Amino acid sequence: MSAGYVTGGRDRRRLTRHLRLGDRAYRRVLQGFGVFVLVIFVAVGATLFIQAWPAFKHSGPGFVTGTTWDPSHAIYGAVPFIAGTLFTSAIGLALAIPIGIGAAIFLAEYAPRRISGALGMLVELLAAVPSVVYGLWGFLVLGPIFQNTIEPRLSWLPFAHGAPLPVGLLLAGVILAVMVLPTIVAVTRDLANAVPATSREAVFGLGGTRWQMVRTAVLPAIRTGVVGAVVLGLGRALGETMAVTFVIGNTNAVPNSLIAPAQTMASLIANEFTEATEPFHASALLGIAVLLLVIAVIVNALARLLVWSVSREVRETV
Amino acid sequence: MTGTPLKTFFAPDSRSTVAAEAEARPAPAITVRGLGVRFGSKLALSGVDMDFPTGRITALIGPSGCGKTTLLRSLNRLHDTTPGARVLGSVHLGDLDVYAPEINPTEIRARIGMVFQRPNPFPTLSIYDNVVSGLRLNGIRKKAILNDAAESALQSAALWDSVSHKLKTSAMRLSGGEQQRLCIARALAVEPDVLLMDEPTSALDPIATSRIETLLRALVKQVTIIIVTHNMQQAARVSDYCAFLMVEEDRVGHLVEEGLTLQIFSKPADPRTEEYVTGRIG
Ligand SMILES: Nc1ncnc2c1ncn2[C@@H]1O[C@H](COP(=O)(O)OP(=O)(O)OP(=O)(O)O)[C@@H](O)[C@H]1O
Ligand SMILES: [Mg+2]
């Protein structure tokens, strides 16, 4: 045995010490990043809150429960915009979820490889279109179509009364759906593609059809990931400003119909911030921003709860 | 280097049927003629002619890549689910032409069950729902029927005693060996005529493996079994018939010879078979 073996032990010790050092440094750096993210979040929240405080104090609980927004009389109630935000996002998701999951399953399970590759690329391209383009398109192209063709045919719906306009809740919701659709499709398709062949063949081997395979092997395996994709889309829908501002109608009232013009929290801020000269007006807009942040956090927490309960339960899905 | 003495593979009393069968080979459950499989332009298997005797265990052996899995999957039309795969030649289940155009492959797969290399229970389903999943897929909803089928399938898979009190728990809580027996129970619940098994014990420890081998000997009374295995001892221990496949430089996967296991292991007709079963190649 040569001396190499004797020093080997020491070398190895030195090596592991190096590794530990590297390990620790790496961990510190990651910790730093984590703390940084937290600090930014808290800083944004705190400054918003401080700036919004005068308006909160001025309006009291009425800021959250009031339905009137009248800066010239210094009356600030956020309900119209909370409603506008939640309704447009709900419409957007109600359309985007079934269409998106359906399209993703088609691409992953039914379409021939070449078609699914080409369509998949198109979907990813859609995700890269800037929101101002969607807004313009919605305003110039979809708006007239909605006013003249679609909305007159919806009057049989329970909440679709009123004069058809080239703007409104429904149009904003549809634009949001178009915008979140690519995310939902792309994520769901990738999740479905990642389901292992063994799971699929478990169903095929028992005499299952392709649709049964999708229902039994694919959907249960990807559902938590799909909820995640939907939450991502919801985050985008809640905060989307530019596109919605084009097509929402910018009317500061609680919408009384699916096709009525309205205002979302984000579009309100974008519309009014530059001319917020009335008393408390700018502060009230920052208050709206605080509410939007709170709603986003609540929605995320609810979604997480949903993911958690969905992944926990053992369910009869056959 | 010498191979293991062949006789030691056999427990002398393990298969009393073997000697008698030299005269009377049972009617085939599956008949295969001129079978080949192509993936895209690449031929993976060709010219297989073979009968799989009813109520017996047939082992498919051969070196890696010789087409055992490919052959097995062509029997229940599982290749239909792989883009680009094409099956040539004919497969008959009894009198039924498995690849006839009017045949629905899902019906074939309900009659020819399959157990895979890795246990693949449905991870989100309970033990009970896993066992009855095949019946549900085939449209059976009556609780009483499902319950009976679940119990008898789990009994057959030697799993009933250990899981009957926790049928509603997740299948993923079971050990690997139990999961594989659950997959066997799941396949049996549909009451198939034939059970295909692709290296069903390769992911299991020796004890779980031996339990499954014992199980197979009991099961073959109710279902014809075709099993792929890399383990010569396993082929010798569990199978009645044995088929040796091979792939060579100038020839894609093909059948070299088949016959009674006893004969394949003791006096094979082809020297390549002898080399393989005694461990000199592959
Ligand atoms: N889906 C597929 N696409 C293309 N080629 C394939 C496919 N499946 C199998 N093959 C090819 O077919 C040949 C036989 O493969 P097969 O899986 O049947 O071998 P095997 O005998 O089961 O091997 P192993 O013992 O390693 O499981 C191999 O050359 C393999 O590369
Ligand atoms: Mg194989």
Side-chain angles (χ1 to χ4, degrees):
Chain A
M1 298 287 125
S2 73
Y5 280 94
V6 181
T7 57
R10 215 186 308 146
D11 281 351
R12 200 168 54 229
R13 256 200 308 283
R14 204 175 317 144
L15 191 65
T16 51
R17 200 167 52 229
H18 272 306
L19 277 180
R20 284 217 198 99
L21 214 71
D23 231 29
R24 234 177 304 156
Y26 186 59
R27 205 171 125 169
R28 279 285 142 73
V29 170
L30 290 188
Q31 255 170 9
F33 287 149
V35 170
F36 186 64
V37 168
L38 195 72
V39 165
I40 290 206
F41 185 81
V42 170
V44 168
T47 35
L48 281 181
F49 191 83
I50 289 167
Q51 307 253 12
W53 183 246
F56 285 159
K57 225 168 87 180
H58 167 74
S59 303
F63 190 81
V64 185
T65 57
T67 56
T68 308
W69 181 272
D70 184 358
S72 55
H73 296 96
I75 301 171
Y76 300 105
V79 171
F81 319 116
I82 298 175
T85 296
L86 293 182
F87 285 154
T88 49
S89 296
I91 295 170
L93 286 187
L95 294 171
I97 291 173
I99 297 175
I101 294 177
I105 292 297
F106 171 76
L107 290 179
E109 310 293 340
Y110 290 90
R113 195 157 299 183
R114 231 170 326 137
I115 293 181
S116 107
L119 283 180
M121 232 149 75
L122 214 69
V123 166
E124 272 148 34
L125 254 168
L126 279 182
V129 174
S131 55
V132 63
V133 174
Y134 282 116
L136 264 180
W137 176 69
F139 184 70
L140 297 174
V141 179
L142 269 195
I145 296 178
F146 266 59
Q147 182 178 24
N148 300 323
T149 315
I150 297 180
E151 289 181 2
R153 290 189 171 71
L154 291 179
S155 51
W156 52 273
L157 279 172
F159 297 106
H161 51 83
L165 296 170
V167 289
L169 267 188
L170 183 64
L171 181 57
V174 169
I175 290 288
L176 286 179
V178 173
M179 293 177 66
V180 302
L181 200 60
T183 315
I184 295 181
V185 173
V187 174
T188 307
R189 177 203 55 190
D190 292 347
L191 287 166
N193 281 333
V195 172
T198 53
S199 310
R200 299 163 189 277
E201 289 177 350
V203 182
F204 284 136
L206 289 165
T209 62
R210 188 162 286 271
W211 170 232
Q212 287 177 320
M213 186 281 288
V214 167
R215 260 175 38 206
T216 316
V218 178
L219 292 182
I222 67 174
R223 61 190 174 192
T224 53
V226 171
V227 173
V230 168
V231 172
L232 269 180
L234 180 57
R236 181 160 192 200
L238 286 175
E240 175 52 40
T241 311
M242 188 47 95
V244 171
T245 308
F246 270 99
V247 296
I248 187 75
N250 302 322
T251 301
N252 296 353
V254 180
N256 60 358
S257 150
L258 199 59
I259 62 173
Q263 188 82 282
T264 67
M265 301 166 93
S267 68
L268 172 79
I269 297 172
N271 272 315
E272 296 195 352
F273 204 79
T274 48
E275 49 222 44
T277 49
E278 318 283 345
F280 301 111
H281 194 178
S283 175
L285 289 175
L286 286 160
I288 296 285
V290 171
L291 288 188
L292 184 54
L293 197 67
V294 169
I295 287 181
V297 168
I298 291 176
V299 162
N300 260 291
L302 287 179
R304 244 158 239 287
L305 208 69
L306 183 67
V307 171
W308 177 77
S309 68
V310 155
S311 59
R312 214 173 63 104
E313 74 191 294
V314 170
R315 227 182 12 189
E316 195 176 284
T317 51
V318 178
Chain B
M1 165 171 144
T2 59
T4 317
L6 288 165
K7 297 288 186 226
T8 61
F9 286 160
F10 296 95
D13 56 347
S14 67
R15 268 150 304 146
S16 48
T17 50
V18 165
E21 272 183 23
E23 299 100 82
R25 182 170 172 140
I30 292 185
T31 314
V32 158
R33 289 292 174 267
L35 187 78
V37 179
R38 232 179 19 216
F39 296 106
S41 58
K42 178 175 167 272
L43 199 60
L45 186 74
S46 88
V48 175
D49 294 323
M50 188 168 172
D51 295 347
F52 294 92
T54 307
R56 298 289 180 270
I57 300 181
T58 305
L60 302 177
I61 61 171
S64 201
C66 68
K68 306 179 292 296
T69 300
T70 304
L71 171 57
L72 203 66
R73 291 162 63 94
S74 61
L75 303 181
N76 67 342
R77 290 193 65 168
L78 205 53
H79 287 307
D80 289 27
T81 65
T82 314
R86 241 187 93 55
V87 177
L88 322 159
S90 78
V91 175
H92 281 83
L93 173 65
D95 296 331
L96 187 70
D97 181 355
V98 167
Y99 282 92
E102 72 275 10
I103 296 286
N104 186 343
T106 61
E107 280 163 41
I108 297 294
R109 293 185 208 124
R111 291 185 59 185
I112 306 182
M114 190 151 192
V115 174
F116 298 85
Q117 189 164 355
R118 299 205 152 266
N120 60 349
F122 298 117
T124 55
L125 298 190
S126 67
I127 294 173
Y128 176 87
D129 289 328
N130 260 282
V131 178
V132 300
S133 58
L135 296 169
R136 289 216 175 106
L137 288 171
N138 289 291
I140 295 169
R141 298 259 169 250
K142 279 228 177 66
K143 260 265 172 284
I145 297 178
L146 295 179
N147 289 344
D148 288 352
E151 177 168 354
S152 82
L154 285 168
Q155 294 273 18
S156 299
L159 204 55
W160 176 253
D161 293 336
S162 52
V163 304
S164 59
H165 62 284
K166 52 174 182 181
L167 291 174
K168 291 290 167 197
T169 60
S170 167
M172 300 319 278
R173 301 246 181 99
L174 299 175
S175 73
E178 288 171 328
Q179 286 185 18
Q180 192 62 303
R181 276 182 282 144
L182 179 62
C183 292
I184 294 174
R186 181 176 68 184
L188 290 175
V190 204
E191 298 190 351
D193 304 326
V194 180
L195 190 57
L196 310 177
M197 311 182 100
D198 193 355
E199 302 184 44
T201 62
S202 65
L204 304 182
D205 69 72
I207 293 174
T209 297
S210 126
R211 295 194 67 158
I212 290 199
E213 288 178 5
T214 312
L215 176 63
L216 294 189
R217 288 313 314 170
L219 282 181
V220 76
K221 294 186 181 74
Q222 60 186 84
V223 61
T224 301
I225 295 175
I226 304 173
I227 179 173
V228 171
T229 177
H230 267 291
N231 180 331
M232 287 311 100
Q233 278 92 334
Q234 181 170 71
R237 277 192 304 263
V238 304
S239 71
D240 305 295
Y241 290 83
C242 196
F244 173 61
L245 287 87
M246 211 169 154
V247 59
E248 283 151 307
E249 269 156 42
D250 53 342
R251 214 171 147 199
V252 299
H254 59 281
L255 179 67
V256 174
E257 71 172 297
E258 55 102 2
L260 279 172
T261 301
L262 193 58
Q263 178 206 324
I264 296 286
F265 275 80
S266 56
K267 39 180 191 319
D270 194 294
R272 292 169 297 179
T273 313
E274 177 162 17
E275 284 182 16
Y276 183 74
V277 297
T278 54
R280 261 169 281 161
I281 56 168

